[in-house]
Amino acid sequence: MTEKVKEVLDKIRPSLQADGGDVELVEVTDDGIVKLKLTGACAGCPMSQMTLKMGIEKNLKKFIPEVKEVQSV
């Protein structure tokens, strides 16, 4: 599942980079938890949790049904 997550993140990444940010995959657990680290402008952005849940998590769940949750670390 890690490779699938990386593929989806690579599709999302250009949108984040356009705003000066990025995302780093930290871990994919066996129970479907994806742990990510937002970097660059995204790290300190007040909207980062919305980006994480409504943008990244929504897309990961859409393309990878095994993903249960996305967490920021």
Side-chain angles (χ1 to χ4, degrees), residues 5-26 36-39 42 56 59:
V5 170
K6 287 180 181 179
E7 288 175 20
V8 174
L9 289 177
D10 284 343
K11 293 177 183 172
I12 297 168
R13 187 168 277 117
S15 297
L16 297 173
Q17 291 173 337
D19 290 330
D22 207 343
V23 63
E24 177 184 313
L25 178 61
V26 175
L36 302 174
K37 180 179 180 182
L38 293 172
T39 61
C42 291
I56 299 172
N59 275 286

Side-chain angles (χ1 to χ4, degrees), residues 1 5 27-35 57 60-61 64-71:
M1 183 164 60
V5 170
E27 179 185 9
V28 178
T29 66
D30 292 335
D31 56 347
I33 307 296
V34 177
K35 296 182 180 183
E57 182 176 86
L60 285 172
K61 286 181 172 181
I64 312 166
E66 300 87 18
V67 171
K68 302 292 180 235
E69 183 182 5
V70 173
Q71 297 177 350

